[in-house]
Structures are given as structure tokens and as C-alpha cells.
Amino acid sequence: MSEIPKAYEPQSVEDKWYQFWLDRKCFVADPARVSPKRPAYSIVIPPPNVTGVLTMGHVLNNTIQDILARKARMDGKEVLWLPGTDHAGIATEGVVARLLSKEEKKSKRDLGRDEFIKRVWAWKEKYGGIIISQLKKLGCSCDWTRERFTMDEDYARCVQKVFVDLYQKGLIYRGKRMVNWCPATQTALSDEEVVMKEQKGSLYYFKVEIDEQPGTFLTIATTRPETIPGDTAVAVNPRDPRYSKYIGKHVIRPLPAEFPREQKLIPIIGDEHVDFEFGTGVLKVTPAHDKADFEIGQRHNLAQIDIMHPNGHMNPLAGEALNGLDRFKARKVAVELLTGMGALEKEEPYTNNVGFSERADVPIEPRLSEQWFLKYPSVDKARECVEQEDDSVGRASSRAEFSDAKAGSSVASPHQKMRFHPQRWAKVYDHWMDTLQDWCISRQLWWGHRIPVWSKKANEDGPSITALQTQLNTFKQSGALIQMNLYTPHEKKEGATNVLQRDPQENYFIRLDVAVDPTEEKIISLLEQHGFTQDPDVLDTWFSSWLWPFATMGWTGDKSQHSSTPTLQAFYPTTDLVTGPDIIFFWVARMIMAGYEFMGDLPFENVYFTGIIRDKQGRKMSKSLGNSPDPLDLIGRYGADALRFGTMRSAPLGQDILFDEQNVELGRNFCNKLWNACRFRQMVGSGGSATGEVQGEIDPKLLTSDDKWILLRLDAAIREMNTAFAEYKFSDATATLYRFFWSEYCDWYVEASKAALSPVAANGSSLHSSAALPSAATRSNTLAVIDFVLSHTLRLFHPFLPFITEELWHGMGYAVDMPENQGGRTIMTAPWPKPLDDDFKSHYGLTGDDEKRIEARNELVSEGRNLRRNANIAANKKVKFILKPARELAAHDVEVLRLLLNADSVEVQANYQSSKSTMTVRTESGDLFLPLEGLIDVEAEKARLAKELQKIEAEAVKVEQKLANPNFTQKVPANVLQEHKQRLADWQAKREHTKAALAALQN
RNA sequence: GGGCGCUUGGCGCAGUGGCUAGCGCGUCUCGUUUACACCGAGCAGGUCGGGGGUUCGAAUCCCUCAGCGCCCACCA
């Protein structure tokens, strides 16, 4: 580090070191190196969408993972941070489809399935994974040799095998159900992909005539008049005295107007679901377009009339006037029609919650359709394994226990408990697990894992199916992974999940579904010969992501050898998962169930839930608001370390993060401070008698009080860091680093060390009679302390600031003396600092007393500076102070006082008497006087002292009263009592001193 | 309708029964002294959301009210 720039320039440093780490394979995990002495540590990245670009959310999430991974490496663990991307079905298909329509004016259907999928792959190769290169810019230490994609060939096989396996277990079934239908993307969605949004709309009241009692009308309130043509009943609460008498009668549905009367006759039914407080207490029932209505329909065996096309436009069953209209347009027209026929009674403004497609941001259309569903596996185990708050009473740091347990026995038995951080998410998880609904896993898309089911419909007496069934059974006996399900009309009566619905266009049919591992080519060709076709649907993207922790580690899906890959054996279960609470159900819960079901063990030991990044005003980051900063731009302007540090510093555990660019600026300033502190060490090192080389040995006999103090502060910082890591409190960790390095090391220690480092003093003479005469030996000793502290500090910083610490580690020469694998090559593998132990402390003579004495001396400095400011003495003007010490002070300390007070001299006078023109203050380590020789503003000083005295009085009285209370003195613990007595004595001493000073001014 | 979280100086936050309630940012004043103006020094600024209770002692524990936010839920 010869020519050191005055300011840190991250741009010239970051790429260099990232390449250095890659070249030396620093991020590559080797299962063979794992041993009881070198335990494994693993994280799988939450795979970002392959279409994604880096957002502040990614920065937060991945910085935390990188911090954990880098810390674990320094702890001597074998670390695997496994990266990759997610194929993100809907998102990716949407991106490519939009591109296609923009550039070629074609739809995906124009291209056809195979060609379209080719285009998606081409797009993926070209643009996909931009985010991967962005993660590298951030400094992420992922093992890129193991990068995975959820559509990789071997990953896809895992997905298919899992499907067949669950199908065999009877957990996957096909069913015609009410699903969340997205008319924009024209696919079914899971419940989790629906977000509720408050919508302002209207509640329309319309009347219907009771067929059996002409002239009697019921009024119905609805928000969706366009679905009237789909109504097949009107429901009232059977306990509702107003209406119960009408149950069993019929009403005439007003729409479609042109339909014959008998087609529009629908029954009035009684159902408990109807709330008689709401609206008029009469509910229109549309079993084909509303989830609750569907269930009412099931209970009363109502017909289902589907009046919409899949794209959300009305079909002919909605009637001439509505046919072809978009559902929202149809709503307006339906209202007009009702008004026209005099059926509309009123319309009132109404706000309700409407389900929206999370991806496409359009209202969901509840729609009856045939889909694949999964009954969740391993639910009980998954529910029990997450530690609830009540479980943990009396367990101070269970994470430490976890780590130790794992280190102790390398072959781990199945883990019992998993911890969430913050733990309150366990409750949310628990609640969801208690109310699990079957998961709709099929999607009407092309980009994704195609459902490995071949099926054929036939008439009930079709001979081909039975014959084929027999044939397939022989394959099955030979161990092929296939499963058949024969659907016959009879099953309908049993009300089972495998309900075969009557196909409206055809007669009853039977169907043979065959789930096959797609690698069973013989079987598939046999099926295809017999006219079987593969299900056109693909699986929900999360149906592949839920296997991520083990499908990425070489899991084959073959149960007999599921733990046979070295990677799985070494790194599964993973240690930590870092993710956002928004995907706790989508991903975390499902991974836990999959972990148990397919690996027989939980997938991770700890889950850290980050907060959500918001803007300064607390709004969510969003593209439409334009309030989402580009992290790459921030990295360009401030450096990756600055972005990381600024983000971590403002990200307390469990709370949302308000992003403010000022935080990044602060991170940059901090890096610069670190840079300059090292630069200072280089500059003082090359002058005087010491060379620029690292000073190794510290001589206990030559330590100054400040040296001892900073070593003790370093010790405290290391301990605090360890606690923060154990509790996943990264903002605490950065706060500790900030305080220790900036306030304690730079502001106090470095400034004080200048007394020992003074080149003048080192020459053996001094300009100041009161100054100590530090020898050259003391000087190099202080340099050695600085090197000790800095080399530890850099290591404490490294997980947070990987680039600048690597640059300084080498630049300062700290790498030189270290063994190759312990920091000699890179700070990445330098050992994490240990707290200073008792041996160390006694060898160097470090005691709590030293710490207190320096802090008392520093208080003297602060008070002295305060006096200066109150006397309006310019910061650069040299003055003389007089000190009447409470106890003996070393020459070094007096010299430090002189330096830090920017004084010509600090004279120690045991019997100094204050005079009229002297300002003064009493501190624990003595009375400080600032003689002003007539320059003093007596009135101002009187006022200041009076104010001071008032405050002192108030505090003294408070303590006096406490001590006067016998209840207090009797019940309070001895140490607290003692502390209060001391406090009173201190206040009284200050009171006396201030009174005396005030009195002196009166003369 | 249930559940969870939050409320401490202008802003963002620490502080789970006992130091004079801290920290960072910001504001203001002074300052180019052997790293750093991306800096240093100093001042100002808080009845800890309201009310009640437990206790010798409450920002901290309990009750209650209010406000804000999030999640879950089939009132059309």
C-alpha cells in the first residue's frame, strides 16, 4: 500500500477482488472437507425469478446470506451457499409473450407450443439470469459451480418423480372444482396467488317476482348483476321470519330477458350461510361463479351455469345482450337491462374486498374447472417441527445449541426443531398449517414442468382401456414408476375427491389416467400407440421450488439412495434460510413438508425472515410508484460495501426497512473512515523510528493506559458481535462496528495515540515541559497495538464489507504472516476474532479499572472542551488548563489531555484555588480550571453555573429522596443501594464545587 | 370478524424492573491541529401514545383506550 489515495475508490477495488476470489475457488464447497472438526454450513438461495433484476429486496436478502456465509467460513466451517434461478412460469411466459407480440405481432398460439417453448429457452439463454451477474457485483460468495435452474434436466426429473410418487400415494388427484381463475393469463391459480384488494363499487338492489305468488317480490342485493344469468337459486336463511315461508317456492330470474320463462324459474332455498343482516337478507346463488355459492349449490344439488368464456367475456348462456362482452362491461349492461325492465330498485356505493391475481393484477374470476390438486404431505411433522415461543422458555440461545450439536455429531439424526427468527412468524405458520386447503397445482401455461400424466377417455365399455391396464400392470410389477387411476361414472356417487363430472358435451365416459416418470420411454410410447395423450397443463412453479433444498444437491428422487450424494450427506439439512415473510406459505411451509416427505428431515434449522423494504414514506417499493432505486446504480455511485453496510445498518430484525439513500451515503462514509484510519497507520508507520512494517509483538510493560483501554473495547466489540450473530441481529452488529470503530477507535484512541506516536517525542526531546517522553520502544509498541486492533477489526468487518477489507488486509500487510489457509491468501479464511480470554488479559495487565480510569479521563476532556465552547474560545486557539486531580495521573495521560483539549499546556496543581476569572468543572477524576485572565464574561458564566446547579440540585434531591425511603433501603439489593449512595456522593460533590465556583464569581 | 406487530427528541431506531433514557441522521455554532470536510469539536432538542394498576422503584410487567401497519377470513 504505497501510494494511498486520500479517499477510498471502490470501483477500482471490487471487480479485482471478486475475480481473485473466483480464480482461487474461494466460494467452492467441498463435501470431502467436512469433518467433525470442520462442520458444514449451508444456505440455499431463494432462487430469484430468471426474469428478475436486482431490487433492494434482493440486496437485503442476499447481503444477509453473504454475511452468514462469510462469517461461517471465518468460523472454520465448510460453507456451501447454493445459488440458482427459478423458471417463474407465469412471469417468464408473460415476458416472452409480450416480446413476441411487440416484435413479431404474434401470439404464443400462432407459434405453437414447441416453438414457443424454444423461444423461451432462447430468451432465457440470452437475457435470463442478469440477476446472477448483479449478485456478483454485490459481492455474493455463492458457489457458482453449483448454480441450478428449476428447469434443469435433472431438476425436472425430480419434479416429475415427486409428482408420480404423490400420485401413487393418492395425494394428487384430479377434480372439477371452483378455482381461482385468472382471465388475463387464462390459468388457474392457487389460493396463495390471490391477493385481496379493497374495491369501490356498487351494491345493486333488484327485485324478482315469486312465481307461485304473482305480485309478491323479493329484493336481492348484489355486487355482480352480470352473473344473474348464471343464478340457479335464491337463498334465504331458514331462521329468517321474513322469508322462511317462501322456501320451496320459485322466482323468475330476470335475465337473460329473451329466455323462456320456464328456463328462468329458480327455487328459493333455505341455507344457514345467508346472513340476514346483510343487504336484504336474500342471496342470489351463482354456483358456477362464486366459491360460497358453489358450496351452497353442492348442498342443494343446484345446477351450475357457466356464463363466461375463459377470457372473462360472457358466453351465449348470458343472453344476447351480454354475449361477448367483457365481464365489467357486462355489469353495466346488466344494470341497464334491469333498469329498463323496472327491476332495479336502487344502487348504493359499496366497498368490498375482491380477490386479484397477484401476477396479472386483475380480479379473479371464480370458475368451475377441472384441475389437479394436492393434499399436502407430512403435515403433522411439519407443524410440530417449528419451535413456538412457548417451547423456548428458559432456552437462552438455542442457535448456539444447534450449532454445537451439529458440530459434535457429524452424522445427524433427524432434527427435532426448527427456529424462526423473529419467532412470531411461527404463529403465522402454525395458523396456516391448521387451515390447509388442498393445493391447486395445475396451470394452463406452456412454460413449466408438464404434468406427467397420460390419459384417454373412452366409453364405459371400451375394451382398449382394460387391456392396456393389464399390460401396464406388468410394467409396474417390474418397478417402473407409474400409477394408474381409472375413473368411472360410478365414482361420482361416492362423493370422493376423484369425482368424474358429467361432460356436458358428451355422455358419461370413463378415463384412464396414467402418471409416468417421463424417462420410462417404453411405457410412454406404448401409451401413445394406444391413443393416450399427455396432459397439456404444467405444474405451479412452487411445485418445483418446494424441492429446492435437496433437488439442487443431486437428489435423484430415488428413495433407496436419497442420501447418497456427497453433497446431500454433507450439507442437508441446510443451516439457515433467509427469505421474506411474504412467501412463508408459498415456499417456506411447502419446503418443510417436502423436506420431511422426501428426505425424512427438515430442510433447514433456522429461518430468518427479513423485513419488507419500503421507501422513506413507508410505502412499498413498486415499479408504478417509481420509488424503487436501482441497486446497481447505488453500487456504481457508492460502492457495494457501502450499499451493504447502509442496508444492514437500517434493517432491524423483524421490522420493515425504510430505505433512504442517506444510509448508503453513510455506508460510503464509513468505508472511507476505515480507509483513512488504515492510511493513518501507514503514514505514522513510515516515519519516526518504526518502519512501515507490521508490528508483531506487544510488550505488556510498554502499554499505555489508552492501549489497554482500546484492547478492552475491542474485546467488548467482539463479544457484542458474537451475541448479535447468535441472535441474527445484523443491525446490532453494524451498530457495534460503527460505535467501536468510529467513536472508540478513531475518535478517542487514534487521537490519544498521537501522544505516543509524536515524531518529536520519538526523537527523545519534547517541546512541552509537561509532556511525557515516549521512547521509540513505546512508539513501536503502540504501532503494534494499532496493528493488533486493525487486523482484528478488518476481520470483524469482513462479512459486512468484503471488498474494502480484502483490499486493506493485503495493503496493510496483515496477510503476510498468516498461514495460507488462515488469512494468508485471503481475509475470507482468516479466523473470526475470539474474545480476549483471561490469560490474555492478565498477561497484558488489562483490568476493568483501566477502562474506568480512561473513561473518567475522557470525561475530563469532554468537560474541558465544553468549557472552551462556553467561553467562546475558537477551536484552534491554544489555551492553558489547570488540573487538580482526584488521584494520581500518569504523564502520558496528562499529555493526552493536553492534546485532546488542544491546549498549550495542562498544569497539574494539587492546591489550585479558583479565582474570579476562572471557569471550572468537577469530574470524577478531578477539577479542571480554565483561567481566562479577564476575558471571562462574568454574567454569562454565572448564568451557566446557576443553570448547572439547578440541574445538579434536582438530581441530588431525587436520589436523596429515594435513600430517605426506608422501604427502598430495606428492600433493594445491596449493589443497587451501594450504587445509589455513590451517586448521591457524586452529586453532592458536584453541588459543592459548583456552589464554590459561583461564590468565587460573586467577589 | 379473528390474529400479530408498532407508538421513545424533527426523522429512523436501541433500551424486557434499578446508572443523569441512549445511538445514528438532521439542525445550529466553532474549526484546514501529523488519516479522513465522505472530517473533527460542541450546543440545543424527549413529562417514553392516553388513562388506570402492580412495585421501594415502570419506557420496561398487567389492564384499558386510541392511532398506525401487516396477515388471515366465502357477508353477497
Side-chain angles (χ1 to χ4, degrees):
Chain A
M1 211 159 126
S2 43
E3 290 288 315
I4 321 162
K6 203 168 167 183
Y8 173 56
E9 290 155 11
Q11 293 73 16
S12 62
V13 166
E14 294 179 355
D15 289 347
K16 175 181 76 180
W17 289 115
Y18 202 84
Q19 196 54 46
F20 174 93
W21 294 324
L22 288 177
D23 290 345
R24 283 160 186 76
K25 302 187 175 15
C26 294
F27 307 154
V28 177
D30 182 358
R33 282 198 296 245
V34 174
S35 72
K37 282 180 82 174
R38 189 176 172 79
Y41 177 90
S42 53
I43 308 186
V44 290
I45 202 170
N49 287 357
V50 69
T51 53
V53 289
L54 199 71
T55 63
M56 282 308 298
H58 293 119
V59 169
L60 172 66
N61 183 276
N62 289 287
T63 298
I64 291 172
Q65 291 175 72
D66 196 46
I67 287 167
L68 289 169
R70 287 178 184 274
K71 164 74 162 51
R73 285 191 196 92
M74 296 176 81
D75 282 335
K77 294 180 181 164
E78 184 65 23
V79 171
L80 169 61
W81 181 13
L82 200 155
T85 48
D86 190 300
H87 67 278
I90 297 179
T92 311
E93 187 160 320
V95 166
V96 177
R98 271 195 295 283
L99 200 70
L100 197 65
S101 111
K102 197 175 149 197
E103 293 187 347
E104 302 177 37
K105 304 268 178 259
K106 283 182 183 166
S107 75
K108 63 175 190 176
R109 274 167 232 288
D110 294 335
L111 251 64
R113 184 167 187 146
D114 291 348
E115 181 57 26
F116 180 76
I117 288 174
K118 261 189 214 161
R119 297 291 185 96
V120 181
W121 277 108
W123 183 92
K124 188 251 172 191
E125 293 313 320
K126 199 166 170 193
Y127 305 104
I130 286 177
I131 195 163
I132 295 295
S133 61
Q134 296 178 319
L135 287 171
K136 291 176 181 172
K137 289 276 175 203
L138 188 61
C140 294
S141 59
C142 304
D143 183 351
W144 300 110
T145 66
R146 293 170 185 271
E147 185 182 335
R148 294 288 187 274
F149 179 50
T150 52
M151 290 279 278
D152 285 343
E153 208 174 311
D154 50 351
Y155 199 105
R157 290 219 40 216
C158 292
V159 175
Q160 288 147 354
K161 287 198 167 187
V162 159
F163 184 97
V164 177
D165 179 63
L166 294 168
Y167 191 80
Q168 276 178 333
K169 291 170 177 161
L171 295 172
I172 287 181
Y173 61 92
R174 196 202 278 265
K176 195 161 189 181
R177 292 267 202 92
M178 192 52 92
V179 296
N180 305 300
W181 183 262
C182 171
T185 50
Q186 298 195 39
T187 177
L189 298 174
S190 66
D191 296 340
E192 288 69 34
E193 286 163 289
V194 178
V195 290
M196 300 308 275
K197 287 193 184 182
E198 212 169 66
Q199 290 292 297
K200 272 183 273 185
S202 297
L203 193 57
Y204 303 93
Y205 292 76
F206 68 100
K207 58 181 181 181
V208 291
E209 190 169 18
I210 297 180
D211 187 54
E212 287 84 352
Q213 288 176 231
T216 308
F217 293 87
L218 290 178
T219 302
I220 303 172
T222 180
T223 54
R224 300 200 62 190
E226 75 279 13
T227 63
I228 292 175
D231 292 350
T232 53
V234 163
V236 296
N237 194 302
R239 289 177 292 122
D240 189 333
R242 292 170 298 175
Y243 305 119
S244 56
K245 56 186 176 238
Y246 299 128
I247 294 172
K249 296 186 170 33
H250 295 76
V251 301
I252 300 146
R253 197 179 66 209
L255 298 172
E258 73 277 13
F259 278 27
R261 178 191 171 87
E262 58 274 19
Q263 255 188 47
K264 295 190 290 187
L265 222 48
I266 56 174
I268 300 170
I269 58 171
D271 195 285
E272 288 289 342
H273 171 260
V274 181
D275 175 359
F276 39 97
E277 305 279 312
F278 188 88
T280 59
V282 185
L283 172 70
K284 71 193 253 321
V285 184
T286 326
H289 291 282
D290 184 281
K291 222 174 173 180
D293 291 4
F294 173 76
E295 279 159 24
I296 296 176
Q298 293 289 92
R299 290 198 282 273
H300 298 269
N301 220 353
L302 298 177
Q304 298 151 348
I305 307 175
D306 186 345
I307 56 166
M308 274 182 226
H309 294 297
N311 65 357
H313 287 59
M314 312 305 284
N315 70 22
L317 291 175
E320 282 168 20
L322 301 183
N323 185 20
L325 296 180
D326 163 82
R327 52 194 168 140
F328 303 107
K329 178 79 179 128
R331 182 172 305 169
K332 289 195 185 112
V333 174
V335 171
E336 285 164 17
L337 292 173
L338 291 172
T339 311
M341 60 181 70
L344 191 78
E345 292 199 329
K346 61 174 171 174
E347 171 184 346
E348 53 188 38
Y350 185 65
T351 302
N352 65 341
N353 283 325
V354 176
F356 273 64
S357 158
E358 193 193 35
R359 281 269 159 226
D361 200 34
V362 298
I364 286 295
E365 189 57 46
R367 185 163 180 265
L368 204 53
S369 85
E370 187 162 66
Q371 302 287 345
W372 291 95
F373 295 91
L374 169 68
K375 272 189 206 302
Y376 286 102
S378 293
V379 174
D380 291 342
K381 276 185 188 158
R383 197 201 324 255
E384 284 159 17
C385 72
V386 174
E387 199 162 291
Q388 291 291 325
E389 253 153 303
D390 308 340
D391 302 346
S392 61
V393 176
R395 303 186 60 182
S397 173
S398 138
R399 179 169 187 249
E401 286 168 32
F402 263 136
S403 311
D404 292 349
K406 203 181 176 190
S409 58
S410 71
V411 185
S413 54
H415 297 70
Q416 296 306 309
K417 287 284 179 185
M418 173 186 316
R419 264 175 97 90
F420 284 4
H421 308 264
Q423 207 170 19
R424 62 186 156 84
W425 290 109
K427 261 185 201 161
V428 177
Y429 169 86
D430 220 39
H431 179 252
W432 189 73
M433 293 297 289
D434 281 342
T435 56
L436 278 182
Q437 303 280 315
D438 291 353
W439 177 11
C440 175
I441 54 172
S442 46
R443 296 290 178 275
Q444 288 65 53
L445 301 172
W446 287 350
W447 174 241
H449 302 273
R450 193 158 169 184
I451 292 178
V453 172
W454 279 255
S455 50
K456 182 179 176 176
K457 291 177 185 176
N459 291 326
E460 202 162 351
D461 50 4
S464 60
I465 281 191
T466 328
L468 193 77
Q469 215 178 352
T470 322
Q471 205 169 352
L472 287 170
N473 262 321
T474 62
F475 282 109
K476 206 175 172 184
Q477 274 150 23
S478 70
L481 201 55
I482 59 173
Q483 175 69 24
M484 289 164 271
N485 249 338
L486 186 65
Y487 293 79
T488 71
H490 308 294
E491 286 181 53
K492 187 183 180 188
K493 296 193 184 89
E494 291 159 23
T497 47
N498 294 341
V499 173
L500 181 72
Q501 297 287 338
R502 185 192 174 113
D503 189 320
Q505 266 76 49
E506 301 171 28
N507 291 322
Y508 280 113
F509 56 82
I510 61 172
R511 180 174 61 206
L512 183 61
D513 282 346
V514 186
V516 193
D517 180 339
T519 57
E520 305 273 8
E521 286 168 15
K522 264 196 284 183
I523 299 171
I524 289 165
S525 87
L526 184 72
L527 286 168
E528 282 170 355
Q529 275 168 37
H530 284 79
F532 278 67
T533 50
Q534 187 177 2
D535 196 299
D537 290 353
V538 299
L539 290 160
D540 180 3
T541 303
W542 297 104
F543 191 87
S544 62
S545 334
W546 76 327
L547 312 177
W548 187 251
F550 47 90
T552 50
M553 292 193 187
W555 185 66
T556 59
D558 186 342
K559 287 208 148 168
S560 59
Q561 44 169 303
H562 68 61
S563 59
S564 68
T565 79
T567 304
L568 278 170
Q569 211 147 31
F571 296 110
Y572 189 92
T574 62
T575 319
D576 293 331
L577 177 80
V578 180
T579 190
D582 47 335
I583 53 176
I584 185 169
F585 309 135
F586 277 113
W587 196 46
V588 179
R590 289 166 178 168
M591 276 193 290
I592 295 171
M593 291 185 269
Y596 273 117
E597 185 68 11
F598 303 109
M599 298 298 294
D601 202 350
L602 42 80
F604 19 74
E605 293 167 18
N606 295 284
V607 184
Y608 177 97
F609 288 104
T610 64
I612 309 274
I613 299 245
R614 298 171 177 281
D615 71 4
K616 246 203 294 204
Q617 285 97 49
R619 301 172 305 180
K620 255 187 177 168
M621 297 269 176
S622 80
K623 274 179 203 158
S624 53
L625 277 174
N627 58 351
S628 181
D630 174 10
L632 271 297
D633 168 59
L634 293 169
I635 290 174
R637 287 189 288 130
Y638 297 104
D641 287 332
L643 177 62
R644 292 167 61 115
F645 195 81
T647 306
M648 293 323 298
R649 202 172 161 282
S650 56
L653 173 64
Q655 271 176 292
D656 287 356
I657 295 100
L658 302 189
F659 177 81
D660 185 341
E661 195 169 313
Q662 273 191 349
N663 290 322
V664 187
E665 203 178 317
L666 180 136
R668 178 202 56 183
N669 296 352
F670 191 75
C671 290
N672 192 244
K673 189 75 178 176
L674 182 59
W675 183 259
N676 274 290
C678 288
R679 195 163 150 253
F680 171 74
R681 163 65 185 89
Q682 293 297 81
M683 291 169 85
V684 291
S686 53
S689 60
T691 67
E693 283 167 18
V694 179
Q695 299 293 305
E697 287 296 305
I698 298 173
D699 183 346
K701 292 192 295 294
L702 296 174
L703 287 176
T704 67
S705 52
D706 289 291
D707 293 336
K708 291 181 180 179
W709 179 77
I710 197 62
L711 289 170
L712 286 164
R713 294 317 300 157
L714 173 67
D715 176 51
I718 294 170
R719 290 171 198 272
E720 283 174 39
M721 291 294 285
N722 288 345
T723 305
F725 268 105
E727 294 171 354
Y728 294 83
K729 290 187 173 169
F730 303 106
S731 59
D732 283 13
T734 48
T736 293
L737 290 171
Y738 195 99
R739 186 213 65 227
F740 168 70
F741 191 69
W742 202 307
S743 309
E744 294 171 357
Y745 180 77
C746 292
D747 289 348
W748 285 109
Y749 178 71
V750 169
E751 294 308 318
S753 76
K754 287 175 182 171
L757 295 170
S758 156
V760 181
N763 287 342
S765 66
S766 174
L767 296 173
H768 311 283
S769 54
S770 67
L773 302 173
S775 64
T778 306
R779 187 174 196 279
S780 2
N781 204 53
T782 290
L783 289 177
V785 171
I786 290 178
D787 284 331
F788 182 88
V789 173
L790 282 180
S791 69
H792 279 69
T793 304
L794 288 176
R795 284 182 268 163
L796 292 174
F797 278 127
H798 178 256
F800 299 84
L801 310 172
F803 295 110
I804 189 175
T805 50
E806 187 76 278
E807 172 77 5
L808 289 170
W809 184 251
H810 291 268
M812 298 295 290
Y814 297 144
V816 175
D817 295 335
M818 309 292 270
E820 171 90 343
N821 62 349
Q822 285 175 50
R825 195 196 305 180
T826 159
I827 192 172
M828 277 185 65
T829 52
W832 180 256
K834 288 190 180 59
L836 308 183
D837 58 25
D838 290 347
D839 285 350
F840 184 100
K841 284 182 188 167
S842 74
H843 181 246
Y844 290 101
L846 313 178
T847 68
D849 247 23
D850 297 319
E851 210 166 2
K852 278 195 200 124
R853 261 214 308 284
I854 288 299
E855 262 141 37
R857 188 205 66 198
N858 289 349
E859 187 202 346
L860 204 52
V861 172
S862 295
E863 294 290 359
R865 286 167 170 171
N866 199 342
L867 286 184
R868 287 183 64 122
R869 285 295 303 156
N870 279 307
N872 272 322
I873 296 171
N876 58 346
K877 182 165 164 54
K878 302 266 180 190
V879 290
K880 183 174 87 175
F881 278 96
I882 293 155
L883 175 65
K884 189 173 165 187
R887 56 173 118 59
E888 210 182 323
L889 225 54
H892 164 84
D893 289 303
V894 179
E895 171 60 5
V896 171
L897 278 176
R898 188 193 65 75
L899 248 155
L900 299 191
L901 286 170
N902 199 23
D904 271 328
S905 66
V906 173
E907 285 174 23
V908 178
Q909 294 189 29
N911 300 307
Y912 184 80
Q913 288 298 316
S914 189
S915 73
K916 189 173 178 177
S917 59
T918 298
M919 292 177 80
T920 180
V921 67
R922 168 162 293 183
T923 76
E924 201 194 317
S925 43
D927 298 345
L928 191 67
F929 301 92
L930 178 57
L932 288 164
E933 311 300 342
L935 291 173
I936 190 166
D937 178 341
V938 177
E939 288 314 309
E941 179 60 4
K942 269 195 216 164
R944 183 183 76 87
L945 287 174
K947 197 181 158 195
E948 192 70 23
L949 189 59
Q950 210 177 1
K951 195 178 132 194
I952 293 167
E953 283 286 4
E955 294 299 338
V957 166
K958 245 198 260 178
V959 189
E960 272 162 8
Q961 280 174 350
K962 267 191 173 183
L963 285 167
N965 182 350
N967 260 327
F968 177 81
T969 47
Q970 280 159 25
K971 293 188 182 177
V972 93
N975 60 329
V976 177
L977 184 63
Q978 181 49 41
E979 185 270 319
H980 275 79
K981 283 181 175 168
Q982 180 60 50
R983 209 196 298 172
L984 181 61
D986 289 348
W987 283 124
Q988 283 168 339
K990 277 194 184 184
R991 179 161 58 186
E992 259 172 65
H993 182 78
T994 311
K995 272 185 180 166
L998 207 46
L1001 285 177
Q1002 309 290 359
N1003 302 328

